[in-house]
Amino acid sequence: MLIRQATADDWPRIWPFWHRIVAAGETYAWDPGTSEEEARVLWMNPAKSVYVVEDDSGGVVASAYLTPNYGGPAAGIANAGFMVDPGQGGRGYGRALAEHLLAEARAAGYRGMVFNAVVETNPAVTLWTSLGFTILGTVPDAFDHPRHGRVGLHIMYRAL
């Protein structure tokens, strides 16, 4: 596997799984009907450092971004978003990408990382806690999950 910074040419390979994940409406608080152009602006925004994971055949199987969560005097806290192609789950791509972004965030001088809205039923909660993230709090009934109904959104944090 290869983890590298994304280029504009990677977007057509990210979009299919980005769309599949967001359209499912189970793990991201973005509109399931987000258009491809809106998605590209959200994910590939120049204010974000975007990364991709290539499998051994060169296919893009995951992507993530790293960006400041806040501005001004609080700009030392990072935020990140992660997506692994659902057909590629369980192969360690998410963990490897998360470890890579934590190292990148540290190297960029961030002091911590926060996730603002982790759906409490998201299986990635297990990954985040295994990587040292803690749940600071949960906003109850904040997310209308298509299978579970109203569920909470965790705010998770890890010091770097």
Side-chain angles (χ1 to χ4, degrees), residues 16 20 87 99 102 104 106 111 118 123 145 150 158:
R20 183 175 170 196
E99 290 171 349
L102 288 167
E104 290 288 319
R106 251 188 312 283
R111 294 181 311 280
V118 181
H145 195 284
R150 290 271 173 203
R158 177 189 158 163

Side-chain angles (χ1 to χ4, degrees), residues 2 16 40 46 65 80 92 95 103 106 119 130 143 148 150-151:
L2 171 68
R40 187 187 60 74
Y65 66 78
R95 176 173 293 279
R106 251 188 312 283
V119 178
S130 77
F143 188 88
H148 303 295
R150 290 271 173 203
V151 298

Side-chain angles (χ1 to χ4, degrees), residues 44-64:
M44 303 293 285
N45 184 309
K48 298 175 177 176
S49 297
V50 182
Y51 299 85
V52 294
V53 177
E54 291 183 355
D55 64 10
D56 293 337
S57 68
V60 173
V61 295
S63 183

